[in-house]
Amino acid sequence: MERIICVLIFALLSLSAQDEFIFWAELSNKDLILYHQSQSISSAMTQSEAVDEDFACELSYSEDDLSFLQKTALGVIDDEMPKALKLRFLNNHKERLFECFSKAEVRVSHTTKTQLLQAQSTTYLKFIPLRFRVYFANDKALIYQLIKQR
C-alpha cells in the first residue's frame, strides 16, 4: 500500500515539473577539414534543483512544426504537451540549438604531428552536456539554459 502511494506521489510530482532536456555536441577536424560532427538532445531523467534560467535563444516554428505540435482548445501552442512532442521539435532544430549554446563550456584537444615537411593537425571539440528548458509561446519556442545557483 505504501509503495502505491509513493508511486502516485512521484507520478504527480513528475507531471507538475517542467520538462528538462540535455544537449551535448562533438566536432572533430583533421587538417582543418571537418570530418565528424554530432549533436544530441535527450530528455533529462531527473529535475534540477536550485537553478537559474538564462535566456539562450528563440526558435521560430516551421510549417512542419505547426502540423504536429499540440494546440489548446483556443488554437494556441500547448506548453503542457507530451515530452515526446517537445523532443521531436528540438531534434528538428538541432542546428539552431547548436548556435544557441555556442557560448557553453567546451573542451578542446589538439594534436599536431610533423614528419619532415609534412604536418597533420587534429582537433577535437566537445560541448560539455548542459541542461535546458523550452517554453512554447504562440509564435516561437523560448530556450533557457539552466545554471546552478551559487
Side-chain angles (χ1 to χ4, degrees), residues 65-79:
D65 297 332
L66 294 173
S67 68
F68 72 83
L69 289 175
Q70 192 171 354
K71 297 174 182 66
T72 64
L74 298 175
V76 296
I77 304 296
D78 187 8
D79 199 39

Side-chain angles (χ1 to χ4, degrees), residues 84-124:
L85 290 177
K86 292 180 181 182
L87 194 57
R88 180 177 169 187
F89 170 80
L90 293 169
N91 278 313
N92 287 347
H93 295 274
K94 274 186 189 179
E95 294 295 325
R96 280 292 321 273
L97 280 175
F98 185 77
E99 294 170 16
C100 290
F101 300 127
S102 62
K103 297 176 186 174
E105 187 177 346
V106 176
R107 290 205 176 129
V108 178
S109 172
H110 179 78
T111 58
T112 304
K113 294 179 184 177
T114 58
Q115 184 178 9
L116 298 175
L117 296 175
Q118 295 179 345
Q120 291 181 335
S121 170
T122 306
T123 305
Y124 300 100

Side-chain angles (χ1 to χ4, degrees), residues 11 13-16 19 74 78 125 137:
L13 287 175
S14 65
L15 285 176
S16 65
D19 294 332
L74 298 175
D78 187 8
L125 190 87

Side-chain angles (χ1 to χ4, degrees), residues 19-21 43-45 47 81-88:
D19 294 332
E20 288 184 21
F21 299 93
S43 185
M45 299 302 284
Q47 299 296 313
M81 72 182 84
K83 192 183 267 191
L85 290 177
K86 292 180 181 182
L87 194 57
R88 180 177 169 187

Side-chain angles (χ1 to χ4, degrees), residues 17-65:
Q18 180 63 33
D19 294 332
E20 288 184 21
F21 299 93
I22 299 172
F23 174 84
W24 69 95
E26 293 179 337
L27 299 163
S28 302
N29 73 32
K30 192 170 194 171
D31 297 329
L32 304 176
I33 298 173
L34 182 66
Y35 74 91
H36 172 74
Q37 177 178 355
S38 68
Q39 297 121 0
S40 299
I41 302 166
S42 66
S43 185
M45 299 302 284
T46 59
Q47 299 296 313
S48 300
E49 295 180 11
V51 292
D52 290 326
E53 293 181 348
D54 184 33
F55 179 77
C57 67
E58 56 188 46
L59 304 174
S60 299
Y61 302 132
S62 67
E63 290 298 321
D64 181 49
D65 297 332

